[in-house]
């Protein structure tokens, strides 16, 4: 028994020695952006690496992102979890609603591209793009506009859906105000060349009574079909796996919207029974198991 225990300890030690975690920083459009790189083995550059983008106003060390990186590492896959700048240099943690908003939904698309270029510079030859929630939409949007050969496939975990009606209804429910007047105001400012004018006392995403530029407000609320991830999937050439939780009340219409699109071939849908929007605890194992099966099939 002692021999078995010693052998097990040695195997675990050797596995630990082949894993490496590192915070990486880059300069991007006058800002410093960062990411957490988790590598497995000396030849990690030759295996598919998972590039992970977090959700709305969140960060790359939130529970679901850490759990994804740790579980992928256990399965032998390296990953890079990026931290979107949201217009701030060296940003950490959740976005502080007291800080005026100058970021846009589409800023993430440029930042995903910046990190993909960095991975190429490191010698990585194959990347799987993964996004959670809003990050899932931004990931799909990036792939729809950049059909890069290094991108092997996409895994979208509870990705954002969108409709003009739902956006207005959600705004009314959350803030007890109509969206249309503020959206019209933002559109007038942008059209008159005042896109960077700060709109004060405005409600934006999860932030009540905050400040945001007209361009920012329009970016998050203007009716654009590309904000709806199922719409984007029809423009992709890469294999796509969408993972949905049966108890997700954040993107509650995802399964219904995906069912007509998921053909089981290029676009696959996996529904995890009992999971909510964040796939806590053992549900994350089901997410990664489904992801790994998909990755190894493509």
């Amino acid at each position: 028994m002692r021999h078995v225990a010693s052998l097990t300890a040695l195997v675990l030690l050797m596995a630990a020695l082949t894993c490496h975690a590192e915070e990486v920083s880059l300069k991007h459009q006058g800002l410093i952006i960062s990411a957490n790189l988790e590598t497995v083995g000396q030849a990690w550059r030759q295996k598919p690496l998972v590039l992970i983008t977090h959700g709305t106003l969140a960060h790359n060390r939130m529970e679901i992102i850490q759990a994804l990186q740790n579980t992928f590492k256990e399965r032998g896959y390296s990953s890079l979890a990026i931290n979107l700048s949201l217009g701030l240099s060296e940003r950490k943690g959740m976005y502080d609603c007291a800080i005026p908003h100058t970021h846009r939904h589409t800023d993430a698309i440029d930042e995903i591209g910046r990190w993909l270029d960095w991975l190429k510079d490191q010698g990585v030859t194959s990347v799987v793009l993964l996004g959670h929630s809003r990050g899932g939409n931004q990931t799909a949007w990036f792939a729809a506009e950049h059909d890069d050969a290094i991108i092997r496939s996409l895994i979208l975990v509870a990705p954002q859906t969108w409709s003009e009606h739902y956006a207005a209804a959600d705004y009314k429910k959350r803030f007890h105000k109509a969206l249309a007047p503020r959206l019209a105001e933002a559109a007038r400012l942008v059209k008159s060349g005042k896109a960077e004018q700060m709109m004060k006392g405005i409600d934006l995403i999860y932030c009540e009574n905050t400040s945001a530029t007209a361009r920012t407000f329009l970016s998050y609320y203007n009716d654009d079909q590309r904000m709806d991830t199922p719409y984007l999937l029809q423009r992709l050439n890469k294999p796509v796996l969408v993972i949905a939780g049966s108890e997700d009340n954040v993107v509650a219409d995802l399964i219904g919207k995906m069912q007509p699109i998921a053909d089981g071939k290029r676009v696959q849908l996996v529904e995890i029974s009992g999971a909510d929007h964040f796939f806590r605890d053992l549900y994350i194992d089901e997410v990664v198991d489904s992801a790994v099966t998909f990755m190894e099939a493509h």
Side-chain angles (χ1 to χ4, degrees):
M1 291 297 292
R2 287 182 180 177
H3 176 71
V4 173
S6 298
L7 182 60
T8 301
L10 180 60
V11 170
L12 292 173
L13 176 61
M14 291 179 67
L17 289 174
T18 63
C19 297
H20 178 69
E22 177 186 2
E23 182 169 313
V24 184
S25 296
L26 299 177
K27 290 183 179 179
H28 174 70
Q29 297 182 356
L31 302 173
I32 296 176
I33 57 176
S34 63
N36 185 64
L37 176 66
E38 300 271 355
T39 61
V40 180
Q42 296 300 313
W44 64 272
R45 295 172 178 82
Q46 279 68 58
K47 288 189 66 176
L49 178 143
V50 185
L51 192 161
I52 303 173
T53 303
H54 61 75
T56 306
L57 301 185
H59 58 98
N60 69 341
R61 306 315 296 147
M62 65 185 299
E63 182 180 352
I64 185 173
I65 305 302
Q66 288 194 66
L68 284 168
Q69 285 203 284
N70 290 338
T71 312
F72 273 118
K73 184 166 59 178
E74 291 171 4
R75 305 295 196 274
Y77 284 91
S78 302
S79 63
L80 180 76
I82 69 176
N83 204 52
L84 298 175
S85 70
L86 302 180
L88 304 175
S89 192
E90 301 182 86
R91 188 181 71 85
K92 304 287 184 183
M94 297 295 292
Y95 193 95
D96 183 352
C97 287
I99 299 174
H101 299 260
T102 61
H103 52 88
R104 294 177 298 166
H105 175 82
T106 50
D107 290 344
I109 297 168
D110 289 339
E111 294 188 23
I112 291 170
R114 179 73 175 91
W115 284 111
L116 195 65
D117 287 342
W118 180 81
L119 287 171
K120 291 177 186 177
D121 291 342
Q122 305 310 302
V124 173
T125 57
S126 178
V127 173
V128 175
L129 299 180
L130 185 152
H132 173 244
S133 197
R134 183 180 296 274
N137 174 262
Q138 292 160 328
T139 295
W141 196 327
F142 173 83
E145 295 189 353
H146 303 84
D147 191 15
D148 198 304
I150 196 175
I151 302 173
R152 182 170 176 166
S153 59
L154 283 78
I155 299 169
L156 309 178
V157 182
Q160 168 185 293
T161 57
W162 173 268
S163 76
E164 186 177 22
H165 172 76
Y166 177 81
D170 183 65
Y171 196 89
K172 181 72 172 180
K173 180 180 178 181
R174 185 181 298 274
F175 300 118
H176 309 289
K177 298 173 185 175
L179 172 62
R182 304 316 302 267
L183 190 57
E185 179 186 355
R188 283 195 300 270
L189 288 169
V190 171
K191 188 175 181 179
S192 62
K194 300 177 181 178
E196 302 306 319
Q197 182 168 316
M198 198 64 68
M199 301 172 69
K200 298 182 179 180
I202 201 165
D203 305 306
L204 175 75
I205 311 174
Y206 301 144
C207 296
E208 188 174 4
N209 192 29
T210 187
S211 300
T213 67
R215 184 182 70 159
T216 292
F217 195 84
L218 204 60
S219 169
Y220 285 98
Y221 290 110
N222 195 36
D223 186 28
D224 188 327
Q225 281 188 300
R226 293 172 295 181
M227 297 281 278
D228 187 50
T229 306
Y231 167 79
L232 283 172
L233 299 190
Q234 301 171 64
R235 300 176 57 193
L236 296 177
N237 296 318
K238 307 290 184 181
V240 181
L241 172 65
V242 174
I243 300 176
S246 67
E247 307 307 308
D248 188 343
N249 57 12
V250 177
V251 193
D253 62 347
L254 176 61
I255 294 171
K257 280 194 165 187
M258 282 301 307
Q259 285 173 336
I261 300 170
D263 58 8
K265 298 176 182 178
R266 188 184 64 81
V267 179
Q268 298 181 29
L269 171 66
V270 169
E271 180 182 348
I272 298 181
S273 179
D276 66 8
H277 189 64
F278 294 99
F279 301 87
R280 293 180 176 88
D281 302 322
L282 295 178
Y283 292 119
I284 207 72
D285 290 318
E286 293 189 55
V287 169
V288 176
D289 286 344
S290 297
V292 169
T293 298
F294 173 77
M295 289 163 61
E296 292 179 351
H298 297 88

